[in-house]
Amino acid sequence: MSESITAAVSDRICKHMNDDHADAVLVYAKVYGQAESATAAKMDSIDPEGMNLTAEVDGDTVPVRVSFNHPLKDAKDAHHVLVEMLKQIRS
């Protein structure tokens, strides 16, 4: 059984995404967060309904909320949804 999305799990996911997948976080902000002109983005938190990002848009830092297409069950589901979101864009 995978871990539920607690604050600690959210922090771990965000650190991993920001450290290892910053390009993907920027794609989430641009495509799913309607921040098309963003030049950088950071994942601040993730919860079962979505993720909170901070994006750099035209020299300003703006909050961006990206909702998921279904409530996440656990951390494993978060991984699958984040990967699937990228696959949908690239196909």
Side-chain angles (χ1 to χ4, degrees):
M1 182 111 172
S2 185
E3 303 171 278
S4 59
I5 301 176
T6 61
V9 170
S10 171
D11 290 346
R12 189 182 74 226
I13 291 170
C14 291
K15 179 174 180 3
H16 169 70
M17 293 301 295
N18 291 326
D19 290 350
D20 299 334
H21 304 290
D23 56 335
V25 176
L26 179 57
V27 169
Y28 298 140
K30 285 182 164 196
V31 176
Y32 294 103
Q34 288 77 46
E36 295 87 5
S37 59
T39 56
K42 178 179 169 243
M43 186 181 290
D44 298 319
S45 65
I46 186 169
D47 59 70
E49 285 78 38
M51 58 183 145
N52 294 306
L53 311 176
T54 303
E56 294 296 321
V57 179
D58 300 324
D60 292 322
T61 302
V62 297
V64 176
R65 176 73 178 173
V66 176
S67 296
F68 298 131
N69 63 1
H70 71 276
L72 303 179
K73 293 177 269 191
D74 51 33
K76 188 180 216 176
D77 194 20
H79 173 78
H80 291 298
V81 167
L82 292 172
V83 169
E84 188 58 36
M85 289 170 76
L86 291 176
K87 285 182 181 177
Q88 288 177 6
I89 295 165
R90 293 178 178 152
S91 62

